[in-house]
Amino acid sequence: MKIKKIHFIGIGGIGMSSLAFFLNKKFTLTGSDIGLSPIIKKLRKLGVDINIGHSTKNINNQDLIVYSSAINKSNVELVEAKKRNITTISRGKALGEFTKNKKNICITGTHGKSTSTSFISQILINSGKDINAFLGAIDRKLKTNFIHGNSNINVIEADESDNSFNFLKPDLSLITNIDYDHMDFYGSKEKLYEAFQAFIKKTTKCVVLNFDCKNIRKNLKGLKSKKITTFGYQNKKCDYYFTENILGSLELYHGKRKVGEIFTNLEGLHNHYNLIGAIIVCIKLGISFKKISKSTNKILTPKRRFENIFKSNNFEIYDDYAHHPSAISSLRKMLNKKKDLCKNYLIFQPHRYTRFKESYSDFIKEICQWENVIVTDIYSAHESKKSKISSKEFVKRVLKKKKINIQYIREFDKIIDKMYLKYKKNKNKIKLITIGAGDVNKIGYRLKNIIKESKERAR
């Protein structure tokens, strides 16, 4: 079948849109989504005909329908496409099909894959490489989730959440870590590990592994394979290991040989793991360490990775995508290391009922480590409520375990009012951090605007 016209159901998603950007020059694209977004506006400017709202009228003479993993099987467009015998394919399978004859560098893992994908892309571009990059987050410099090049080299964030990373054909891959997430899809830890084992087998040339991750060490078969390269922090048993200097720079070693010193503005051990993994991938791709080291101090994390929203003398607002206990823990450790006498206020929006349920006790354990917390309602991400779990009950459970300053506030406006009062009255330095993969970042931006407006009125 010759494909000329492709329709995307849920085109505004981060993964769907990157594929649409990639295919737009070669095919006539249409799309639909439930709401307008900056990504959709950008695709429209490129000539993609996108309708807001799903309708049977959006399906007509297309040759192929690509649908997001968030799309229900009963979606009217999907049903209409099947009635018309139009081929339908998931985003993950489509990405695999359209990149199968390319040189693919694929990055996966429970945490850090978006950041690592971004770091690899930045290093390669700064080193003069022409690439296509499918990012799982918006690049802060380029303000996009897709980098369009003119080569056959693809840097791809590989999604493990629904096993779609196994539709890809990687030449070289990086696995940042493995944690217990998306268990509603996999059903068991064994199935999760089998998926990662399959991904390793599919990689033809080299697999770079964070060997400090205990789940990687214990559960991935074939670790003695010649195509495996391991790295870790101060771990001399790994092929590569890194250390941290008193002045904050990193030193990278390959066996007993010192590769070189890395200067970076990135904070937190989790970001250092991401950076080292990215550097090793680039070394494997033939980029000299001299070239790599020239750009490491310019590298930025993507949007929503401890992104600064607002900063004044005594009040700062940050936003982070952390939505798993391990990711929240990494954030806390980074903040604790600063020792800047700030009072941290965490605004936590749980993401998905299934995730909140499967890691409930771990969420309680982690949130108990914070001093000041506001919990808002669970962001469903199109899930129907399958359990009696609620944010309100979660706060009660936390307080039973440890008496911290925590409360449940449903309305964003009430949270904003509360934090605005803190901004106005508190003389101590405050860091407000919104966390979650939903829309909790709206709180920070709205609060920023209110503060700015109040300053203008005071002039």
Side-chain angles (χ1 to χ4, degrees):
M1 179 183 71
K2 193 170 183 181
I3 297 170
K4 292 181 179 179
K5 297 179 180 180
I6 305 173
H7 180 73
F8 285 72
I9 308 175
I11 196 168
I14 202 81
M16 287 284 282
S17 58
S18 63
L19 181 58
F21 284 125
F22 179 62
L23 298 177
N24 187 45
K25 288 185 178 180
K26 294 182 180 179
F27 303 94
T28 300
L29 304 187
T30 57
S32 63
D33 215 309
I34 56 173
L36 194 60
S37 68
I39 285 176
I40 287 175
K41 288 178 183 177
K42 189 173 181 180
L43 283 165
R44 279 178 168 175
K45 280 185 180 179
L46 293 173
V48 182
D49 182 12
I50 300 172
N51 287 293
I52 302 303
H54 299 302
S55 169
T56 55
K57 293 178 182 178
N58 297 334
I59 308 300
N60 39 68
N61 60 345
Q62 293 98 342
D63 304 306
L64 179 68
I65 307 295
V66 179
Y67 59 90
S68 161
S69 58
I71 296 300
N72 195 288
K73 290 180 181 179
S74 61
N75 177 276
V76 291
E77 294 184 12
L78 203 55
V79 171
E80 182 66 19
K82 288 177 180 177
K83 276 184 185 178
R84 291 170 176 254
N85 292 318
I86 301 172
T87 302
T88 62
I89 189 171
S90 69
R91 179 260 174 189
K93 192 173 281 189
L95 179 62
E97 279 297 312
F98 287 111
T99 60
K100 64 183 179 183
N101 297 319
K102 308 290 185 181
K103 183 176 181 178
N104 296 323
I105 300 109
C106 299
I107 300 91
T108 194
T110 310
H111 314 295
K113 56 183 174 288
S114 295
T115 302
S116 299
T117 306
S118 178
F119 288 174
I120 290 168
S121 302
Q122 290 178 62
I123 293 170
L124 291 176
I125 290 168
N126 291 338
S127 301
K129 283 286 184 181
D130 183 15
I131 61 167
N132 299 300
F134 298 79
L135 309 175
I138 302 296
D139 182 283
R140 277 202 277 164
K141 276 186 180 176
L142 302 175
K143 300 187 184 342
T144 184
N145 59 319
F146 180 73
I147 298 165
H148 214 145
N150 294 301
S151 74
N152 70 335
I153 302 171
N154 294 323
V155 180
I156 303 172
E157 177 171 336
D159 185 7
E160 90 294 350
S161 67
D162 57 357
N163 200 27
S164 61
F165 65 161
N166 275 314
F167 291 124
L168 297 168
K169 293 188 176 178
D171 287 78
L172 192 154
S173 61
L174 166 66
I175 301 178
T176 58
N177 46 61
I178 302 174
D179 210 340
Y180 303 130
D181 201 6
H182 309 292
M183 298 309 291
D184 55 311
F185 174 82
Y186 285 103
S188 69
K189 293 174 183 178
E190 290 72 26
K191 293 287 183 186
L192 176 68
Y193 296 131
E194 283 172 13
F196 276 95
Q197 287 161 13
F199 181 75
I200 288 173
K201 286 177 184 176
K202 280 178 175 285
T203 303
T204 56
K205 293 179 182 177
C206 178
V207 183
V208 179
L209 295 175
N210 173 4
F211 214 57
D212 284 350
C213 173
K214 62 180 180 180
N215 288 331
I216 287 179
R217 286 198 309 274
K218 290 180 180 179
N219 298 291
L220 292 188
K221 293 176 183 177
L223 292 182
K224 293 181 181 178
S225 167
K226 289 181 181 178
K227 67 181 178 182
I228 297 292
T229 295
T230 60
F231 72 96
Y233 175 60
Q234 298 180 339
N235 188 346
K236 295 182 181 180
K237 292 181 180 179
C238 295
D239 299 309
Y240 287 85
Y241 71 92
F242 68 100
T243 60
E244 190 175 19
N245 288 331
I246 298 170
L247 298 174
S249 64
L250 306 176
E251 289 184 348
L252 180 63
Y253 293 85
H254 185 202
K256 293 181 180 179
R257 180 178 69 87
K258 182 179 174 180
V259 179
E261 193 169 6
I262 300 155
F263 296 94
T264 176
N265 296 314
L266 298 169
E267 296 179 280
L269 186 59
H270 61 296
N271 275 325
H272 294 162
Y273 276 115
N274 294 333
L275 178 60
I276 295 299
I279 288 170
I280 295 167
V281 166
C282 292
I283 289 171
K284 292 289 180 182
L285 290 167
I287 309 297
S288 70
F289 182 79
K290 188 177 179 181
K291 275 189 177 181
I292 292 168
S293 62
K294 284 180 180 178
S295 65
T296 53
N297 63 345
K298 301 173 190 173
I299 285 175
L300 295 176
T301 54
K303 284 184 74 64
R304 302 212 64 197
R305 272 61 181 181
F306 201 63
E307 181 184 4
N308 179 244
I309 305 297
F310 175 81
K311 197 168 188 176
S312 67
N313 289 337
N314 289 321
F315 197 82
E316 298 175 8
I317 304 172
Y318 292 88
D319 176 56
D320 199 277
Y321 196 70
H323 54 279
H324 186 279
S326 298
I328 301 170
S329 175
S330 294
L331 181 62
R332 173 174 51 81
K333 288 171 184 175
M334 182 186 77
L335 289 166
N336 288 347
K337 194 175 180 181
K338 285 175 176 286
K339 296 178 182 177
D340 57 4
L341 302 177
C342 260
K343 210 170 190 178
N344 297 323
Y345 280 83
L346 189 73
I347 315 295
F348 173 41
Q349 182 188 52
H351 186 256
R352 295 192 178 186
Y353 294 104
T354 48
R355 175 181 285 116
F356 201 33
K357 183 181 178 181
E358 70 191 22
S359 300
Y360 196 68
S361 59
D362 289 332
F363 275 117
I364 291 170
K365 186 179 177 182
E366 173 54 33
I367 294 301
C368 281
Q369 305 304 310
W370 295 76
E371 290 183 3
N372 308 289
V373 184
I374 295 172
V375 185
T376 192
D377 278 341
I378 300 164
Y379 187 86
S380 68
H382 309 294
E383 276 187 345
S384 57
K385 190 173 181 180
K386 297 177 181 178
S387 67
K388 293 180 180 179
I389 283 177
S390 70
S391 294
K392 193 173 183 179
E393 181 59 31
F394 175 75
V395 168
K396 289 178 183 177
R397 292 286 298 275
V398 170
L399 286 169
K400 280 183 181 179
K401 191 171 182 70
K402 189 177 180 182
K403 299 298 178 186
I404 64 169
N405 180 27
I406 185 171
Q407 64 182 127
Y408 161 71
I409 303 178
R410 181 180 180 181
E411 297 88 351
F412 281 9
D413 286 344
K414 286 186 179 179
I415 297 172
I416 292 165
D417 290 345
K418 183 180 178 68
M419 296 315 301
Y420 181 66
L421 284 174
K422 293 283 182 190
Y423 162 75
K424 292 288 284 184
K425 294 181 178 181
N426 201 303
K427 293 180 181 178
N428 298 318
K429 194 171 182 181
I430 287 176
K431 272 193 178 81
L432 169 66
I433 308 118
T434 57
I435 60 165
D439 60 355
V440 70
N441 60 332
K442 289 178 180 178
I443 291 170
Y445 285 105
R446 286 182 194 170
L447 182 56
K448 172 188 174 181
N449 290 336
I450 290 168
I451 292 170
K452 283 190 170 183
E453 286 167 9
S454 70
K455 284 183 175 181
E456 287 172 8
R457 285 195 301 268
R459 284 175 185 170

